[in-house]
Amino acid sequence: MWGDAFPSFLIGLREGLEAGLIVSVLVATLVRAGARSRLPQVWTGVLAAIALSLSFGAVLTFTAASLSTAAQEAFGGTLSIVAVAFVTAMVFWMRRSARGLAGEIKEKVTEALAMGAGVLVLTSFLAVGREGLETALFLWTTARAANESAGPLTGAGLGLLLAAALCWGLYRRVLRINLTRFFTATGMVLIVIAAGVLGYGLRDLQEGMVLPGGTAYAVDLSGSVDAGAWYSTLLQGVLNLTPAMTWLQVAGYVGYLAVVMTLFVRGVRGVREQSGAGAPAGAGAGQRMGDGADGAVAGGKRAAAPPAAPPAAPPAARPPATEPPPTPATASTPTTAPTHRRPAWLIPVAVVAGPALLAGLVVALADPKPAAGETVAVSETACGQGFTAPEPGRQDFLMHNTGNQTSEVYLIDPSSNAVYGEIEGLAPGTTRDLVATVAGGTYAWRCVPADGKAVTSKAVRVGGAAGAHAVVPVSEQDLAAPLKAYRAYVDRGLATLVTQTGKLSDDIRAGHLDTARADWLTAHRTYASLGAAYGTFEDFDQKIDGRPDGLPGGVHDKDFTGFLRIEYGLWHGEPAAGLKGVAQQLAENSAGLRKAFPHQDFDSSDLPLRAHEILENTLQFELTGDTDQGSGTGLATADANLAGTRELLSVLKPLLTTRAPRLLPTVEADIARLQKLLDSAHHGTGWTPVDRLDRAAKARLDGATGQLLEDLSPVPDLLEIRKSA
């Protein structure tokens, strides 16, 4: 929680201190000018700014809730980048303006005193409102990044409370703080945090299909870093650094940090040089920024406050600017009827309620998803209690588990068992929302407890035209035939692999290293084409195709074995004698895998997942050269991975055709495009190494692979095994 709270704490502290200093100067200037009666106007403007900020946060929240998932990602990403722009501008503005802030505010207050109550309200409103809007936007962004609001709101609350306490202490002259150093230090930290927010925003835009490269990972440590560990949570919460980051995220993060931090540091040095070269007495880093009843607030040391401009008339003799001078009544001057005066509370209530009413209007026009539109109770004995026929359109159902068991909950068409929406693992006593689009048709709830039989609610009928998208569920029995066909494919491939690795071992034993290089690639491509089964191969996969990553000795570690170990030796001039044992071990492991495979547990639910994961790994490893140990054959391996994906889709085709008839033609076109690009890098028996591709060819290859991955992404959801009994 602290990791999620710290960025909001810092922004609350800094923005709160900025706003608090401005309010302190406003109040001190009025007190010093003898205009205490005008203080309510200042507080009215402050309250209006707070109301506007809260309303802005509500508009962001409810507007996002009314969008589709992709649109939410795009909306959130855009606002994250806007938040970074605001924070960056705020950091530089405060660095530049802190020294002269008090003078500017005093000048505005002096003008407002002469122009009436409305101008003074507007002055305080604008002064505080900017900080409030920045805080609301940054808070919304960090809460969305953290996927929860408790931590960010707690952090912001603590920061604002501390800022209020510091401002009170400065106003009462019980604290002395060098604000130049404070804003410099916090500015540098905020630049680092803003870099993370920028990276997160770019990732949102990629997931919202606004920016490309969503599957082009620059780093992916998800396999070796525990995302739930305290250090991972802290880094992600404070810096928005995640185990897997795309190239665009990394470029945005590093580029922003390098450019903005450099400019900020140079600006700080420039300010220091100006302060040290001929600054007049009473100026500099220690200059006070405002004053209390007759003194000033801010700075690191006490300095004499400049004399205030003399008022036009003594305060005691000058009436309030909002009232005309009284005219004494005489016998010759008739007494007029008392004029109707506005209640004193009218203006404060109006300026505070105005933003809230405006926000409510915006939210109403945004047509958000219905909040708590209908609460539906589920349990192991009853399902769908409280369910009535909903209106057509996008509906939000609050699902509350009143039972004693965790349950799967599905909104279904009872005539076909097609699923419109689902919640997995709804724990007892908890409530979660399920959003689904409802059109003309029949609907019911199905609850499947962890230990018990499925319970289906009474069906309801919704009038109107059909059109809601539903997925016909897949059972293990449905996947039995594809699994059998794919197991047969893998078994044939393993038989071929045993022959090929045996020949490779013989080549190396005989010292025929040129022949061994060609036979190595043939055998490795055979193994790569069996990618959908790698989760079934157990320890054999690491022995046959393991990488040196994480081994103490790297490529020279004794536990580095298999294809990549032989590749390193063959393409780094290692003699045959040093590779004999490794090659023999590879042949034995291949034979052992073929013998064990018929008895290994191959989960049928793995097939839909692998349709996407094989090429995801290709994009991450082969197309980046990460697994290359010197042969430069990453594209040959990518070609074998594509062949394996094509084989997998062929066994899944009957299930996909009935559930998404337009999917396979699109995917087949993507595969043909990618195959053509790979073929262009194949020259006889050789392949162009990834690092020798020109920039345009590499971009086309990455783009084609990324597009294919996007079009394959629905397969796991379409063919997910859902409980039904």
Side-chain angles (χ1 to χ4, degrees):
M1 182 175 176
W2 173 243
D4 295 333
F6 178 73
S8 298
F9 168 79
L10 187 62
I11 201 71
L13 173 62
R14 184 180 172 108
E15 296 278 13
L17 191 55
E18 287 184 28
L21 288 172
I22 293 172
V23 173
S24 297
V25 173
L26 285 170
V27 172
T29 305
L30 289 174
V31 170
R32 191 172 182 183
R36 289 179 179 270
S37 61
R38 309 291 290 276
L39 289 179
Q41 298 164 13
V42 172
W43 298 121
T44 297
V46 170
L47 289 175
I50 294 173
L52 177 65
S53 303
L54 294 175
S55 301
F56 180 55
V59 168
L60 292 179
T61 301
F62 285 102
T63 300
S66 68
L67 303 175
S68 65
T69 301
Q72 285 184 34
E73 300 292 347
F75 182 71
T78 301
L79 289 183
S80 294
I81 294 176
V82 173
V84 170
F86 279 165
V87 169
T88 305
M90 175 264 292
V91 165
F92 280 88
W93 177 81
M94 201 60 192
R95 186 207 67 197
R96 182 178 63 253
S97 305
R99 290 157 46 81
L101 181 65
E104 294 177 10
I105 296 298
K106 288 179 181 179
E107 182 180 351
K108 292 179 180 178
V109 172
T110 302
E111 295 174 357
L113 281 172
M115 297 179 68
V119 177
L120 190 55
V121 171
L122 183 62
T123 299
S124 59
F125 171 78
L126 293 177
V128 179
R130 192 192 71 167
E131 319 300 337
L133 292 176
E134 289 178 356
T135 304
L137 179 57
F138 197 86
L139 258 182
W140 185 86
T141 302
T142 53
R144 191 175 185 277
N147 201 27
E148 58 99 13
S149 57
L153 289 178
T154 300
L158 293 175
L160 291 171
L161 287 175
L162 180 57
L166 291 175
C167 288
W168 180 87
L170 291 170
Y171 180 82
R172 304 299 299 178
R173 303 183 189 176
V174 297
L175 287 177
R176 291 185 179 182
I177 298 175
N178 190 314
L179 292 178
T180 300
R181 294 180 180 176
F182 172 83
F183 285 119
T184 298
T186 56
M188 295 175 72
V189 176
L190 276 176
I191 288 173
V192 175
I193 292 175
V197 174
L198 176 62
Y200 174 82
L202 292 174
R203 180 59 179 162
D204 270 356
L205 290 175
Q206 288 179 317
E207 293 179 349
M209 306 301 176
V210 176
L211 294 177
T215 55
Y217 289 98
V219 59
D220 188 354
L221 304 176
S222 54
S224 55
V225 174
D226 182 6
W230 66 269
Y231 53 85
S232 299
T233 304
L234 188 63
L235 284 175
Q236 185 167 348
V238 176
L239 304 179
N240 270 300
L241 292 177
T242 58
M245 297 182 69
T246 65
W247 282 106
L248 182 61
Q249 281 184 280
V250 173
Y253 187 97
V254 175
Y256 173 88
L257 198 59
V259 173
V260 177
M261 187 66 78
T262 300
L263 294 175
F264 184 80
V265 172
R266 286 181 180 176
V268 169
R269 290 175 180 173
V271 170
R272 289 176 179 173
E273 291 172 359
Q274 292 176 3
S275 300
Q287 181 181 352
R288 296 291 187 173
M289 294 178 61
D291 53 37
D294 58 352
V297 283
K301 61 182 181 179
R302 184 76 174 167
R318 185 175 61 190
T322 56
E323 299 177 9
T327 303
T330 63
S332 61
T333 304
T335 302
T336 60
T339 59
H340 179 70
R341 300 183 62 185
R342 290 192 302 259
W345 51 266
L346 182 60
I347 292 179
V349 169
V351 297
V352 172
L357 293 175
L358 181 61
L361 179 62
V362 172
V363 169
L365 294 177
D367 190 23
K369 65 179 184 182
E374 184 172 336
T375 299
V376 182
V378 302
S379 69
E380 58 270 22
T381 57
C383 186
Q385 292 181 333
F387 179 51
T388 58
E391 294 293 326
R394 192 166 181 266
Q395 300 294 331
D396 183 11
F397 303 98
L398 291 182
M399 311 307 298
H400 179 62
N401 191 341
T402 59
N404 300 316
Q405 293 188 36
T406 299
S407 294
E408 310 290 317
V409 183
Y410 304 104
L411 179 63
I412 65 169
D413 178 351
S415 62
S416 64
N417 290 324
V419 177
Y420 292 100
E422 64 183 299
I423 293 179
E424 297 182 355
L426 183 62
T430 60
T431 301
R432 287 162 58 186
D433 61 331
L434 186 152
V435 179
T437 300
V438 175
T442 307
Y443 296 84
W445 292 101
R446 177 165 293 162
C447 306
V448 186
D451 184 18
K453 294 183 178 181
V455 181
T456 304
S457 73
K458 181 180 178 181
V460 300
R461 179 74 186 175
V462 176
H469 178 67
V471 177
V472 178
V474 174
S475 65
E476 289 192 24
Q477 185 177 359
D478 294 327
L479 285 169
L483 180 61
K484 182 179 179 181
Y486 193 78
R487 287 188 72 108
Y489 163 78
V490 174
D491 193 62
R492 293 192 300 271
L494 290 177
T496 303
L497 180 69
V498 170
T499 301
Q500 292 171 344
T501 54
K503 187 175 186 304
L504 174 62
S505 179
D506 293 341
D507 293 338
I508 293 176
R509 186 184 302 108
H512 301 153
L513 297 188
D514 288 338
T515 305
R517 292 186 184 95
D519 289 340
W520 173 89
L521 180 57
T522 300
H524 190 237
R525 280 169 52 83
T526 296
Y527 186 78
S529 68
L530 309 178
Y534 68 81
T536 303
F537 292 161
E538 300 173 350
D539 293 340
F540 284 103
D541 184 58
Q542 179 63 28
K543 295 175 183 178
I544 292 174
D545 203 32
R547 298 193 299 272
D549 304 359
L551 296 177
V555 294
H556 303 293
D557 196 279
K558 62 181 180 61
D559 292 327
F560 181 31
T561 62
F563 278 113
L564 299 190
R565 171 65 182 89
I566 296 175
E567 177 189 6
Y568 181 84
L570 287 174
W571 274 271
H572 284 82
E574 189 171 345
L579 294 174
K580 286 181 181 179
V582 182
Q584 180 62 32
Q585 185 180 2
L586 174 61
E588 292 175 357
N589 286 333
S590 298
L593 174 58
R594 186 196 177 192
K595 182 179 179 180
F597 178 69
H599 310 289
Q600 290 177 332
D601 183 21
F602 199 149
D603 191 343
S604 57
S605 63
D606 283 350
L607 290 180
L609 294 174
R610 302 296 183 253
H612 183 271
E613 289 179 350
I614 295 174
L615 289 178
E616 192 171 52
N617 289 338
T618 302
L619 186 62
Q620 182 180 352
F621 298 117
E622 275 71 37
L623 296 188
T624 60
D626 183 74
T627 56
D628 182 36
Q629 299 299 323
S631 68
T633 58
L635 296 184
T637 305
D639 182 71
N641 289 338
L642 183 61
T645 301
R646 189 185 291 112
E647 178 65 29
L648 179 58
L649 290 173
S650 70
V651 301
L652 295 175
K653 184 175 181 178
L655 296 177
L656 290 172
T657 301
T658 58
R659 288 164 175 80
R662 298 181 182 178
L663 176 64
L664 281 179
T666 302
V667 168
E668 288 168 359
D670 292 341
I671 290 176
R673 177 188 175 201
L674 179 56
Q675 186 67 66
K676 184 177 180 180
L677 292 172
L678 290 171
D679 290 343
S680 67
H682 187 196
H683 314 286
T685 59
W687 293 79
T688 303
V690 172
D691 59 1
R692 295 184 187 176
L693 291 171
D694 62 69
R695 182 175 299 178
K698 181 64 165 60
R700 286 193 296 269
L701 194 60
D702 289 343
T705 308
Q707 184 60 56
L708 176 54
L709 280 170
E710 292 296 336
D711 291 334
L712 284 173
S713 60
V715 174
D717 287 334
L718 288 171
L719 303 185
E720 179 186 357
I721 296 177
R722 293 174 169 88
K723 297 179 181 179
S724 59

